[in-house]
Amino acid sequence: RPVVDDGARRDDRSQRFDGFDRRLTGARARRAESRETGTETQMNRAEKVEAVSQLTDKFARAPIAVVTEYRGLNVAQLSDLRRKLRAVNGEYLVSKNTLAAIAVKESSAAVITDMFTGPVAIAFGFSDAVSVAKVLRDFAKENEKLSIKGAVLDGESLGAKQVEQLATMPSRDELRAQLLALMNTPATNLVRLLQAPAQQMVQVLHARSQQEA
């Protein structure tokens, strides 16, 4: 056959391969994005068992787990939130509601089962519950698409407003700083404070908190 025909066939095969490669690359990119946002829909049985096992472990180790709705947040925003939660020993995980419900079924976290509706993600706090609540509150102020549905704190169910109230409390680091400040108070002033009547002590502490606010 003429050489030109071979070249034409080779060009045709090359074009078909390039088209297939682009489709494969696009599919891989979509799967990678799905993994990043946690929105993959196809899971085999082994993957589901592993996911439930991981969730069960996280609920058992975390003093607080905050249920949020993340509808509309993009990959960059989710990555930013995850980074901020990691900084306070937290973790943000998007999960299928059915798997999350199975994971909490036999635990004290079962009180939040009713919150597993819609596109839900769970923020786990493994040390300081207040710090996790603060991160979520501040992030939600800057990103209205994140909403707090509620939480479980040491087996107790919290509503969205209670989580916001928790975020107003001093974090563990803030409490340490206050204690250090008290320890650095001149001895004479500390003695006077300790010897003062209870009502006067309350007034002094209240005035100090107002100055620091």
Side-chain angles (χ1 to χ4, degrees):
R1 296 180 182 179
V3 175
V4 67
D5 290 341
D6 291 338
R9 284 197 297 273
R10 283 196 298 271
D11 289 342
D12 182 62
R13 286 196 300 271
S14 177
Q15 290 174 0
R16 288 201 302 271
F17 178 79
D18 289 343
F20 172 78
D21 187 54
R22 285 194 297 271
R23 290 194 298 273
L24 181 60
T25 301
R28 286 172 176 167
R30 286 192 295 274
R31 286 197 298 273
E33 182 176 356
S34 295
R35 285 193 295 271
E36 175 65 24
T37 59
T39 56
E40 284 186 300
T41 57
Q42 294 182 351
M43 298 178 68
N44 60 38
R45 182 176 179 81
E47 289 172 335
K48 289 179 181 179
V49 171
E50 177 63 20
V52 170
S53 176
Q54 291 181 2
L55 282 168
T56 301
D57 175 67
K58 295 180 192 301
F59 276 112
R61 291 190 295 113
I64 188 170
V66 185
V67 183
T68 69
E69 184 169 323
Y70 67 97
R71 189 195 308 269
L73 292 179
N74 58 37
V75 174
Q77 291 169 326
L78 287 170
S79 297
D80 184 37
L81 177 55
R82 288 188 171 109
R83 178 182 58 79
K84 291 177 177 178
L85 285 170
R86 282 196 298 269
V88 294
N89 196 22
E91 184 176 354
Y92 194 66
L93 183 64
V94 178
S95 174
K96 288 180 176 292
N97 294 330
T98 52
L99 301 184
I102 294 172
V104 303
K105 187 175 181 180
E106 302 297 334
S107 72
S108 59
V111 293
I112 60 173
T113 302
D114 292 342
M115 299 180 190
F116 298 146
T117 58
V120 160
I122 306 163
F124 294 96
F126 299 108
S127 56
D128 186 9
V130 174
S131 295
V132 170
K134 287 179 182 293
V135 168
L136 292 172
R137 178 201 60 188
D138 295 344
F139 190 88
K141 286 181 179 179
E142 299 174 359
N143 303 270
E144 296 181 354
K145 293 178 180 178
L146 178 76
S147 63
I148 297 172
K149 304 184 73 171
V152 56
L153 176 63
D154 292 328
E156 297 293 329
S157 177
L158 303 181
K161 289 187 177 180
Q162 290 174 305
V163 175
E164 292 179 2
Q165 291 172 353
L166 179 65
T168 65
M169 298 176 63
S171 68
R172 184 176 300 176
D173 290 340
E174 290 170 339
L175 286 174
R176 287 197 188 102
Q178 292 176 10
L179 178 59
L180 288 173
L182 181 61
M183 293 174 64
N184 290 330
T185 299
T188 54
N189 292 339
L190 182 58
V191 169
R192 290 196 195 99
L193 179 60
L194 293 176
Q195 292 177 342
Q199 181 61 34
Q200 184 178 347
M201 184 181 296
V202 171
Q203 292 173 352
V204 171
L205 292 175
H206 178 70
R208 181 168 182 173
S209 66
Q210 293 298 314
Q211 291 174 356
E212 295 177 351

